[in-house]
Short mmCIF file of all heavy atoms in Angstrom, two decimals:
data_model
loop_
_atom_site.label_atom_id
_atom_site.label_comp_id
_atom_site.label_asym_id
_atom_site.label_seq_id
_atom_site.Cartn_x
_atom_site.Cartn_y
_atom_site.Cartn_z
N ASN A 1 0.81 -1.21 0.00
CA ASN A 1 0.00 0.00 0.00
C ASN A 1 0.85 1.27 0.00
O ASN A 1 0.72 2.14 -0.88
CB ASN A 1 -0.93 0.00 1.22
CG ASN A 1 -2.02 1.04 1.15
OD1 ASN A 1 -3.11 0.78 0.64
ND2 ASN A 1 -1.77 2.24 1.65
N ASP A 2 1.74 1.41 0.98
CA ASP A 2 2.43 2.68 1.18
C ASP A 2 3.50 2.94 0.13
O ASP A 2 3.71 4.10 -0.27
CB ASP A 2 3.01 2.74 2.59
CG ASP A 2 1.92 2.72 3.66
OD1 ASP A 2 0.73 2.68 3.28
OD2 ASP A 2 2.24 2.74 4.86
N LYS A 3 4.20 1.90 -0.31
CA LYS A 3 5.17 2.09 -1.40
C LYS A 3 4.45 2.50 -2.69
O LYS A 3 4.98 3.29 -3.47
CB LYS A 3 5.98 0.81 -1.61
CG LYS A 3 6.97 0.49 -0.51
CD LYS A 3 7.79 -0.73 -0.84
CE LYS A 3 8.74 -1.08 0.30
NZ LYS A 3 9.76 -0.05 0.54
N THR A 4 3.26 1.96 -2.88
CA THR A 4 2.47 2.35 -4.05
C THR A 4 2.08 3.82 -3.97
O THR A 4 2.16 4.55 -4.97
CB THR A 4 1.22 1.47 -4.17
OG1 THR A 4 1.61 0.11 -4.37
CG2 THR A 4 0.35 1.91 -5.33
N ILE A 5 1.67 4.26 -2.79
CA ILE A 5 1.28 5.67 -2.63
C ILE A 5 2.42 6.60 -2.99
O ILE A 5 2.21 7.64 -3.63
CB ILE A 5 0.78 5.94 -1.19
CG1 ILE A 5 -0.58 5.27 -0.97
CG2 ILE A 5 0.65 7.45 -0.94
CD1 ILE A 5 -1.12 5.43 0.43
N ASP A 6 3.63 6.23 -2.64
CA ASP A 6 4.79 7.09 -2.94
C ASP A 6 4.89 7.38 -4.43
O ASP A 6 5.14 8.52 -4.84
CB ASP A 6 6.08 6.42 -2.45
CG ASP A 6 6.19 6.41 -0.93
OD1 ASP A 6 5.48 7.19 -0.27
OD2 ASP A 6 6.98 5.60 -0.40
N ILE A 7 4.67 6.36 -5.25
CA ILE A 7 4.78 6.58 -6.70
C ILE A 7 3.51 7.20 -7.26
O ILE A 7 3.55 7.98 -8.23
CB ILE A 7 5.16 5.28 -7.45
CG1 ILE A 7 5.58 5.59 -8.89
CG2 ILE A 7 4.05 4.26 -7.43
CD1 ILE A 7 6.26 4.44 -9.59
N LEU A 8 2.36 6.93 -6.65
CA LEU A 8 1.12 7.57 -7.09
C LEU A 8 1.19 9.08 -6.91
O LEU A 8 0.69 9.85 -7.74
CB LEU A 8 -0.08 7.02 -6.31
CG LEU A 8 -0.46 5.56 -6.56
CD1 LEU A 8 -1.61 5.16 -5.63
CD2 LEU A 8 -0.84 5.30 -8.01
N ILE A 9 1.82 9.53 -5.82
CA ILE A 9 1.99 10.97 -5.60
C ILE A 9 2.80 11.57 -6.74
O ILE A 9 2.43 12.61 -7.31
CB ILE A 9 2.69 11.23 -4.25
CG1 ILE A 9 1.80 10.82 -3.08
CG2 ILE A 9 3.08 12.70 -4.12
CD1 ILE A 9 2.53 10.79 -1.75
N GLN A 10 3.90 10.93 -7.09
CA GLN A 10 4.74 11.43 -8.18
C GLN A 10 3.98 11.43 -9.50
O GLN A 10 4.08 12.37 -10.29
CB GLN A 10 6.00 10.59 -8.30
CG GLN A 10 6.89 10.59 -7.06
CD GLN A 10 8.07 9.65 -7.24
OE1 GLN A 10 8.91 9.83 -8.12
NE2 GLN A 10 8.13 8.62 -6.40
N GLN A 11 3.22 10.37 -9.73
CA GLN A 11 2.43 10.27 -10.96
C GLN A 11 1.41 11.40 -11.05
O GLN A 11 1.27 12.05 -12.09
CB GLN A 11 1.72 8.92 -11.01
CG GLN A 11 0.92 8.68 -12.28
CD GLN A 11 0.15 7.36 -12.25
OE1 GLN A 11 -0.18 6.85 -11.18
NE2 GLN A 11 -0.13 6.81 -13.42
N ALA A 12 0.70 11.65 -9.95
CA ALA A 12 -0.31 12.71 -9.94
C ALA A 12 0.31 14.08 -10.17
O ALA A 12 -0.25 14.93 -10.88
CB ALA A 12 -1.08 12.69 -8.62
N LEU A 13 1.48 14.32 -9.58
CA LEU A 13 2.16 15.60 -9.78
C LEU A 13 2.58 15.79 -11.24
O LEU A 13 2.42 16.88 -11.81
CB LEU A 13 3.39 15.69 -8.86
CG LEU A 13 3.09 15.90 -7.38
CD1 LEU A 13 4.36 15.69 -6.55
CD2 LEU A 13 2.53 17.30 -7.13
N VAL A 14 3.10 14.74 -11.85
CA VAL A 14 3.49 14.81 -13.27
C VAL A 14 2.28 15.15 -14.13
O VAL A 14 2.34 16.01 -15.01
CB VAL A 14 4.14 13.48 -13.72
CG1 VAL A 14 4.22 13.39 -15.25
CG2 VAL A 14 5.53 13.33 -13.12
N GLN A 15 1.16 14.49 -13.87
CA GLN A 15 -0.04 14.72 -14.66
C GLN A 15 -0.56 16.14 -14.47
O GLN A 15 -0.91 16.83 -15.44
CB GLN A 15 -1.12 13.71 -14.26
CG GLN A 15 -0.77 12.27 -14.59
CD GLN A 15 -1.75 11.29 -13.97
OE1 GLN A 15 -2.62 11.67 -13.19
NE2 GLN A 15 -1.61 10.02 -14.31
N ALA A 16 -0.63 16.58 -13.22
CA ALA A 16 -1.16 17.92 -12.94
C ALA A 16 -0.29 19.00 -13.56
O ALA A 16 -0.80 19.97 -14.13
CB ALA A 16 -1.26 18.12 -11.43
N GLU A 17 1.01 18.82 -13.48
CA GLU A 17 1.92 19.84 -14.03
C GLU A 17 1.97 19.79 -15.55
O GLU A 17 2.38 20.77 -16.19
CB GLU A 17 3.30 19.68 -13.41
CG GLU A 17 3.28 20.05 -11.91
CD GLU A 17 4.60 19.81 -11.21
OE1 GLU A 17 5.44 19.04 -11.74
OE2 GLU A 17 4.80 20.39 -10.12
N ALA A 18 1.51 18.67 -16.14
CA ALA A 18 1.43 18.58 -17.60
C ALA A 18 0.13 19.16 -18.14
O ALA A 18 -0.03 19.28 -19.36
CB ALA A 18 1.57 17.12 -18.04
N GLY A 19 -0.80 19.51 -17.24
CA GLY A 19 -2.02 20.15 -17.71
C GLY A 19 -3.31 19.47 -17.32
O GLY A 19 -4.40 19.99 -17.62
N ALA A 20 -3.25 18.31 -16.65
CA ALA A 20 -4.49 17.67 -16.22
C ALA A 20 -5.24 18.58 -15.26
O ALA A 20 -4.66 19.14 -14.34
CB ALA A 20 -4.18 16.33 -15.55
N ASP A 21 -6.53 18.73 -15.49
CA ASP A 21 -7.37 19.53 -14.59
C ASP A 21 -7.79 18.72 -13.38
O ASP A 21 -7.97 19.26 -12.29
CB ASP A 21 -8.62 20.01 -15.33
CG ASP A 21 -8.29 20.84 -16.54
OD1 ASP A 21 -7.82 21.97 -16.37
OD2 ASP A 21 -8.49 20.33 -17.67
N VAL A 22 -7.99 17.42 -13.61
CA VAL A 22 -8.47 16.51 -12.57
C VAL A 22 -7.60 15.27 -12.56
O VAL A 22 -7.36 14.68 -13.62
CB VAL A 22 -9.94 16.08 -12.83
CG1 VAL A 22 -10.48 15.23 -11.69
CG2 VAL A 22 -10.83 17.27 -13.10
N VAL A 23 -7.13 14.87 -11.40
CA VAL A 23 -6.49 13.55 -11.29
C VAL A 23 -7.51 12.62 -10.65
O VAL A 23 -8.26 13.00 -9.76
CB VAL A 23 -5.18 13.59 -10.48
CG1 VAL A 23 -4.15 14.47 -11.18
CG2 VAL A 23 -5.39 14.04 -9.05
N ALA A 24 -7.53 11.39 -11.16
CA ALA A 24 -8.56 10.44 -10.74
C ALA A 24 -7.90 9.15 -10.26
O ALA A 24 -7.70 8.22 -11.06
CB ALA A 24 -9.52 10.16 -11.89
N PRO A 25 -7.54 9.07 -8.99
CA PRO A 25 -6.92 7.85 -8.47
C PRO A 25 -7.89 6.68 -8.51
O PRO A 25 -8.94 6.71 -7.88
CB PRO A 25 -6.54 8.23 -7.03
CG PRO A 25 -6.48 9.72 -7.03
CD PRO A 25 -7.55 10.15 -7.98
N SER A 26 -7.53 5.65 -9.27
CA SER A 26 -8.41 4.49 -9.43
C SER A 26 -7.82 3.24 -8.79
O SER A 26 -8.33 2.14 -8.97
CB SER A 26 -8.67 4.23 -10.92
OG SER A 26 -7.47 3.87 -11.58
N ASP A 27 -6.75 3.39 -8.04
CA ASP A 27 -5.95 2.28 -7.54
C ASP A 27 -6.53 1.60 -6.32
O ASP A 27 -6.23 0.46 -6.01
CB ASP A 27 -4.57 2.81 -7.17
CG ASP A 27 -4.68 3.94 -6.16
OD1 ASP A 27 -5.10 5.06 -6.54
OD2 ASP A 27 -4.40 3.71 -4.98
N MET A 28 -7.33 2.34 -5.52
CA MET A 28 -7.95 1.85 -4.29
C MET A 28 -6.96 1.54 -3.17
O MET A 28 -7.24 0.73 -2.28
CB MET A 28 -8.85 0.63 -4.56
CG MET A 28 -10.11 0.96 -5.35
SD MET A 28 -11.22 2.14 -4.51
CE MET A 28 -11.86 1.13 -3.18
N MET A 29 -5.80 2.21 -3.17
CA MET A 29 -4.91 2.12 -2.02
C MET A 29 -5.47 2.97 -0.88
O MET A 29 -6.04 4.04 -1.11
CB MET A 29 -3.51 2.61 -2.36
CG MET A 29 -2.79 1.82 -3.44
SD MET A 29 -2.51 0.09 -3.03
CE MET A 29 -3.49 -0.71 -4.31
N ASP A 30 -5.30 2.52 0.35
CA ASP A 30 -5.77 3.28 1.51
C ASP A 30 -4.90 4.53 1.71
O ASP A 30 -3.68 4.44 1.72
CB ASP A 30 -5.69 2.42 2.78
CG ASP A 30 -6.64 1.25 2.76
OD1 ASP A 30 -7.66 1.32 2.05
OD2 ASP A 30 -6.35 0.25 3.45
N GLY A 31 -5.56 5.67 1.85
CA GLY A 31 -4.85 6.90 2.20
C GLY A 31 -4.26 7.68 1.05
O GLY A 31 -3.68 8.75 1.26
N ARG A 32 -4.45 7.23 -0.18
CA ARG A 32 -3.75 7.91 -1.28
C ARG A 32 -4.33 9.28 -1.58
O ARG A 32 -3.62 10.18 -2.01
CB ARG A 32 -3.69 7.04 -2.53
CG ARG A 32 -4.91 7.12 -3.48
CD ARG A 32 -6.04 6.25 -3.05
NE ARG A 32 -6.93 5.95 -4.18
CZ ARG A 32 -8.23 5.83 -4.06
NH1 ARG A 32 -8.82 5.99 -2.88
NH2 ARG A 32 -8.97 5.54 -5.11
N ILE A 33 -5.62 9.50 -1.33
CA ILE A 33 -6.22 10.80 -1.62
C ILE A 33 -5.59 11.88 -0.75
O ILE A 33 -5.19 12.95 -1.23
CB ILE A 33 -7.75 10.77 -1.40
CG1 ILE A 33 -8.40 9.73 -2.32
CG2 ILE A 33 -8.34 12.15 -1.65
CD1 ILE A 33 -8.21 9.97 -3.80
N GLY A 34 -5.48 11.60 0.53
CA GLY A 34 -4.90 12.59 1.44
C GLY A 34 -3.46 12.92 1.11
O GLY A 34 -3.04 14.09 1.17
N GLU A 35 -2.69 11.92 0.74
CA GLU A 35 -1.27 12.15 0.43
C GLU A 35 -1.11 12.94 -0.87
O GLU A 35 -0.24 13.81 -0.99
CB GLU A 35 -0.52 10.83 0.37
CG GLU A 35 -0.44 10.08 1.69
CD GLU A 35 0.17 10.94 2.79
OE1 GLU A 35 1.23 11.56 2.55
OE2 GLU A 35 -0.42 11.00 3.89
#
């Protein structure tokens, strides 16, 4: 769970900075929205 969240954070940042208006976490890891 937690190692996955670490890379999901980086992924979301890359997407947002590339122009995504909305990031949509579909992974179902616990706690990833808050992080």
Side-chain angles (χ1 to χ4, degrees):
N1 193 90
D2 296 359
K3 289 184 183 296
T4 297
I5 289 177
D6 289 342
I7 193 166
L8 293 176
I9 293 168
Q10 299 176 63
Q11 183 184 26
L13 287 169
V14 165
Q15 294 171 353
E17 291 176 342
D21 302 289
V22 185
V23 297
S26 65
D27 57 286
M28 290 299 289
M29 298 299 117
D30 294 335
R32 86 277 201 215
I33 300 299
E35 294 304 312

